[in-house]
């Protein structure tokens, strides 16, 4: 409100000043030029307030002049036509002054508002905005720019006063190039700050005002985090490509001996020892491929938090024994010497024995893989306070110390080129995930390439240590008499081979190659057990299971045998009515025991 009345107050003050000036020059001005000093008041009022205050000043000044300076004073009086003409001339002059002054005032006001909007816009820009004169003195810098510069006292200063010498020289070099070429340019700048080195990306351009003076403008989005993210994406993309190539290599490796073994078996003249050898090769290589797929699924489950642990109280010795059973062939094949020191072997853990054995066998296999033949691998287990410390130490190729954390990332490959395809790069990632799910931690140390490595696992001890129960031996894979089994799978080879092995176990078996056929066979065959693939045409496995459950009730045993093995897939199978869920390729003996257990009573 006060700002609104300020122009009118200025107008009245201008009138007073004009009247005072008129009074001072009254003897010389005379009665014939009564309004000459009043125009100054109208001009001042128009300049500061526009047309309204100017007209007020003109009216107030005329009234005051009539009363104070024109005879007879103290009253309004007309002296004929000349007085009328004087008043009209004064009125027209003041109207013209007020109109011109008002237009100028509005123009200045619009310009000020426009500049205010521009400054507000620039201040809120997430990018740093800078404006310098041709010499390099800063004229404008928004808040983002102040954060980049780390200063607020920038007005009138130069880059040499605000930046480190090297950065200031580089910025001035960029400025000169922009002024010389008179064209926008894009520049990057490394700037040392209290928070470390930052990468700045700037678009610089030259400007000219109406008088031809030149300026340098710059828009600068601190791209340090963006560049780090881009580098992380490039690294992830490189690791992805390397992983795909490695996966192809790892899958081709077992396929080659499998194909050779199949060729041997297909020859009629093949001896029984050669047939037995070929069967063993196929079994080993299929098991290897199954482990690869299981590891991939386990990494996905760990990363999504869906890997479930089946905890029980076990001794560390039992875990080590299971791990050595898995890893000993690799150690012996490479001619390594295994040294064990196990003072903490009887420590009791509340853990998943299968997963912990997987952790230790992965570490032992890694040590065997990255140690030259005839090397030494040590396995230590100690109890320290409330935890057990397991260490796998080798005298193999080692790794650069700075990679001690990176090697636990998924698909990380840190080995030299000749070993780059020696694995998928998921084993150590899986180790870390399983150990952390148990509330433990894993670490890796090496003094450098060629100096061996040490992998250490720390796990909390169980709160109490009751006697550990011995698990019962698995039942033999023998069929109960007269059990009928339906096998449904749209992969005919998968269905037929499974039917053959189940028939050898003693089951009466029928096959179907889609969901619709499975329902038709069930009507005539009346199986006790149905082993169903999920992704079948016509009707999928879930639909078939729901239909069979509705027709036959709980008397029919349903087993899902599928390549989908995530926790969500298992849950969906249960909801569809399946009693069990197995992932391909399943051990036929395990499947037979699963079928026969339902009929042992």
């Amino acid at each position: 409100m006060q700002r609104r009345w300020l122009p009118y107050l200025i107008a009245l003050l201008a009138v007073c000043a004009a009247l005072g000036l008129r009074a001072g020059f009254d003897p010389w001005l005379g009665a014939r030029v009564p309004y000459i000093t009043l125009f100054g008041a109208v001009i001042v009022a128009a300049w500061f307030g526009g047309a309204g205050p100017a007209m007020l000043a003109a009216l107030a000044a005329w009234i005051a002049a009539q009363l104070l300076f024109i005879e007879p004073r103290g009253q309004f009086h007309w002296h004929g036509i000349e007085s009328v003409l004087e008043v009209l001339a004064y009125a027209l002059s003041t109207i013209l002054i007020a109109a011109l002054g008002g237009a100028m005032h509005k123009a200045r006001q619009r310009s000020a508002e426009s500049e205010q909007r521009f400054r507000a816009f620039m201040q809120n820009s997430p990018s740093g905005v800078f404006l310098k004169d041709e010499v390099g003195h800063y004229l404008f810098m928004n808040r983002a720019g102040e954060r980049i510069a780390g200063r607020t006292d920038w007005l009138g200063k130069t880059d040499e006063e605000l930046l480190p010498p090297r950065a200031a020289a580089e910025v001035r070099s960029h400025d000169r190039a922009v002024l010389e070429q008179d064209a926008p340019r894009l520049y990057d700048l490394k700037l040392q700050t209290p928070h470390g080195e930052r990468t700045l990306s700037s678009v610089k351009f030259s400007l000219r005002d109406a008088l031809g003076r030149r300026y340098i403008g710059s828009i600068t989005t601190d791209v340090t985090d963006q560049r780090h993210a881009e580098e992380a994406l490039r690294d992830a993309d490189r690791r992805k490509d390397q992983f795909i190539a490695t996966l192809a290599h790892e899958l081709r490796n077992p396929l080659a001996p499998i194909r050779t073994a199949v060729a041997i078996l297909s020859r009629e003249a093949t001896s029984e020892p050669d047939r037995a050898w070929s069967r063993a090769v196929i079994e080993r290589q299929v098991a290897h491929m199954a482990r690869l797929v299981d590891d991939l699924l386990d990494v996905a489950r760990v990363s999504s938090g869906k890997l479930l642990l089946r905890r029980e109280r076990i001794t560390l010795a039992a875990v080590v024994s299971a791990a050595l059973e898995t890893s000993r062939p690799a150690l012996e094949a490479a001619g390594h010497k295994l040294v064990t020191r196990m003072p903490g072997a009887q420590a009791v853990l509340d853990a998943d024995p299968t997963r912990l054995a997987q952790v230790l066998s992965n570490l032992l296999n890694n040590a065997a893989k990255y140690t030259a033949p005839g090397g030494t691998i040590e396995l230590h287990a100690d109890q320290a306070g409330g935890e057990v410390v397991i260490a796998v130490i080798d005298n193999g190729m080692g790794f650069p110390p700075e990679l001690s954390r990176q090697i636990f990332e998924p698909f990380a490959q840190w080995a030299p080129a000749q070993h780059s395809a020696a694995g998928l790069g998921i084993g150590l990632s899986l180790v870390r995930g399983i150990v952390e799910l148990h509330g433990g931690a894993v670490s890796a140390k090496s003094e450098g390439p060629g100096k061996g490595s040490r992998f250490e696992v720390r796990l909390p001890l169980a709160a109490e240590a009751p006697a550990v129960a011995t698990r019962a031996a698995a039942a033999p894979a023998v069929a109960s008499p007269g059990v009928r089994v339906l096998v449904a799978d749209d992969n005919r080879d998968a269905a037929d081979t499974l039917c053959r092995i189940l028939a050898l176990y003693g089951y009466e078996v029928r096959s179907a190659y889609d969901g619709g056929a499975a329902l038709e066979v069930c009507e005539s065959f009346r199986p006790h057990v149905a082993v169903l693939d999920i992704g079948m045409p016509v009707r999928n496995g879930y639909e078939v299971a729901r239909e069979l459950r509705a027709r036959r009730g709980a008397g029919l045993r349903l087993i899902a045998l599928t390549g989908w093995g995530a926790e969500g897939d298992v849950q969906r199978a249960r909801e569809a009515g399946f009693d069990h869920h197995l992932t391909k390729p399943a051990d036929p003996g395990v499947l037979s025991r699963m079928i026969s257990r339902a009929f042992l009573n």
Side-chain angles (χ1 to χ4, degrees):
M1 183 64 70
Q2 291 177 348
R3 292 181 62 86
R4 180 181 299 176
W5 287 103
L6 184 59
Y8 295 95
L9 178 60
I10 293 174
L12 294 177
L13 291 175
V15 169
C16 294
L19 293 175
L21 183 65
R22 176 66 175 79
F25 287 93
D26 187 67
W28 290 276
L29 294 175
R32 291 299 165 190
V33 284
Y35 308 123
I36 192 169
T37 62
L38 304 184
F39 292 114
V42 179
I43 293 171
V44 170
W47 178 262
F48 286 100
M55 295 303 296
L56 174 64
L59 179 61
W62 179 78
I63 293 172
Q66 284 286 332
L67 296 176
L68 298 176
F69 299 109
I70 297 177
E71 298 293 343
R73 301 188 183 193
Q75 58 180 314
F76 291 101
H77 184 75
W78 299 98
H79 298 283
I81 189 65
E82 293 183 359
S83 297
V84 173
L85 292 176
E86 287 178 355
V87 171
L88 288 176
Y90 174 75
L92 290 173
S93 299
T94 54
I95 289 173
L96 180 60
I97 293 171
L100 293 175
M104 293 176 61
H105 177 75
K106 287 183 178 180
R108 290 200 318 277
Q109 193 174 35
R110 285 194 297 269
S111 176
E113 290 173 353
S114 176
E115 183 176 357
Q116 185 178 10
R117 285 194 299 269
F118 170 78
R119 286 181 174 270
F121 175 76
M122 289 293 101
Q123 285 294 357
N124 289 284
S125 170
S127 302
V129 180
F130 305 91
L131 183 65
K132 293 182 282 189
D133 62 21
E134 189 173 0
V135 180
H137 295 100
Y138 279 91
L139 305 177
F140 177 80
M141 186 184 300
N142 67 351
R143 285 188 288 268
E146 291 176 346
R147 288 193 295 270
I148 292 174
R151 302 280 292 270
T152 57
D153 56 338
W154 47 265
L155 186 61
K157 293 187 177 179
T158 64
D159 291 299
E160 288 76 10
E161 297 174 275
L162 299 177
L163 300 176
R166 184 195 62 80
E170 191 171 349
V171 170
R172 291 300 295 148
S173 173
H174 297 165
D175 292 349
R176 286 192 294 271
V178 168
L179 290 173
E180 290 171 3
Q181 299 175 17
D182 198 20
R185 295 286 299 274
L186 179 66
Y187 296 102
D188 279 356
L189 175 70
K190 300 289 187 181
L191 182 64
Q192 290 293 339
T193 72
H195 305 291
E197 185 179 74
R198 310 296 295 178
T199 301
L200 307 178
S201 181
S202 300
V203 176
K204 290 196 169 186
F205 45 89
S206 62
L207 300 169
R208 293 178 184 270
D209 64 12
L211 299 178
R213 291 174 297 199
R214 298 201 299 175
Y215 304 89
I216 304 148
S218 173
I219 299 176
T220 303
T221 55
D222 184 343
V223 295
T224 307
D225 296 337
Q226 177 184 337
R227 296 290 168 83
H228 288 168
E230 290 171 355
E231 180 58 34
L233 286 174
R234 283 193 292 269
D235 182 62
D237 191 56
R238 285 193 297 268
R239 286 195 287 161
K240 180 260 296 179
D241 291 342
Q242 186 176 21
F243 164 71
I244 291 174
T246 304
L247 177 59
H249 175 276
E250 289 293 305
L251 291 177
R252 288 192 187 103
N253 275 348
L255 287 176
I258 288 174
R259 173 171 286 181
T260 302
V262 169
I264 293 172
L265 289 173
S266 65
R267 293 177 60 86
E268 293 183 2
T270 302
S271 64
E272 186 55 36
D274 286 339
R275 289 180 180 275
W277 177 87
S278 298
R279 289 192 294 268
V281 166
I282 293 173
E283 185 174 350
R284 283 196 304 273
Q285 298 306 321
V286 169
H288 174 65
M289 294 178 71
R291 282 195 300 272
L292 287 178
V293 175
D294 287 341
D295 282 350
L296 286 170
L297 291 174
D298 286 343
V299 167
R301 290 171 185 141
V302 167
S303 62
S304 62
K306 295 180 179 179
L307 183 69
L308 299 180
L309 299 180
R310 294 175 173 84
R311 293 179 181 265
E312 57 184 82
R313 289 188 178 275
I314 54 171
T315 62
L316 178 59
V319 174
V320 171
S321 177
L324 287 176
E325 181 180 350
T326 302
S327 300
R328 199 177 296 278
L331 296 170
E332 292 176 352
H336 295 317
K337 177 183 178 182
L338 178 64
V339 179
T340 60
R341 184 176 62 80
M342 309 287 293
Q346 296 309 310
V348 178
L349 305 172
D350 180 15
D352 184 324
T354 302
R355 292 302 184 183
L356 283 192
Q358 184 180 7
V359 165
L360 291 187
S361 64
N362 275 359
L363 294 179
L364 289 168
N365 289 343
N366 251 25
K369 186 186 304 179
Y370 295 113
T371 300
T376 299
I377 296 174
E378 301 179 38
L379 177 61
H380 299 171
D382 297 283
Q383 186 172 332
E387 62 182 7
V388 65
V389 182
I390 308 166
V392 176
I393 307 165
D394 64 65
N395 61 350
M397 65 175 57
F399 54 86
E402 62 270 18
L403 299 183
S404 60
R405 294 183 63 84
Q406 179 183 328
I407 59 176
F408 289 103
E409 294 298 322
F411 315 131
Q413 294 281 0
W414 51 269
Q418 62 269 29
H419 292 278
S420 61
L424 293 179
I426 59 176
L428 291 179
S429 173
L430 188 56
V431 164
R432 181 178 64 178
I434 294 174
V435 169
E436 290 178 352
L437 284 176
H438 281 86
V442 62
S443 60
K445 294 180 182 178
S446 177
E447 295 182 3
K451 297 184 179 180
S453 58
R454 176 188 178 98
F455 288 83
E456 192 172 275
V457 174
R458 292 177 173 269
L459 295 166
L461 295 172
E464 299 177 359
V468 180
T470 303
R471 288 181 285 183
V478 178
S480 299
V483 176
R484 296 186 296 275
V485 180
L486 166 68
V487 175
D489 196 319
D490 61 319
N491 185 321
R492 287 177 175 261
D493 287 342
D496 293 345
T497 54
L498 186 56
C499 284
R500 282 176 176 267
I501 189 65
L502 290 178
L504 291 175
Y505 284 142
Y507 297 102
E508 186 179 350
V509 188
R510 295 286 187 278
S511 62
Y513 305 122
D514 62 59
L519 291 173
E520 292 176 4
V521 172
C522 278
E523 283 298 310
S524 58
F525 183 52
R526 307 294 291 179
H528 299 94
V529 178
V531 181
L532 306 176
D533 182 31
I534 296 300
M536 294 187 293
V538 184
R539 307 270 307 261
N540 65 38
Y542 298 128
E543 294 171 335
V544 174
R546 282 190 287 266
E547 181 68 22
L548 290 177
R549 189 62 75 205
R551 293 181 185 182
R552 302 280 301 277
L556 175 64
R557 183 74 58 178
L558 297 178
I559 299 175
L561 182 59
T562 174
W564 302 103
E567 291 298 327
D569 301 316
V570 176
Q571 179 62 32
R572 190 176 177 187
R574 292 196 191 100
E575 293 171 354
F578 283 101
D579 298 290
H580 302 286
H581 183 283
L582 290 176
T583 53
K584 296 178 179 180
D587 185 336
V590 172
L591 177 59
S592 178
R593 285 191 290 271
M594 186 176 289
I595 296 171
S596 62
R597 273 199 300 267
F599 302 95
L600 288 178
N601 296 333

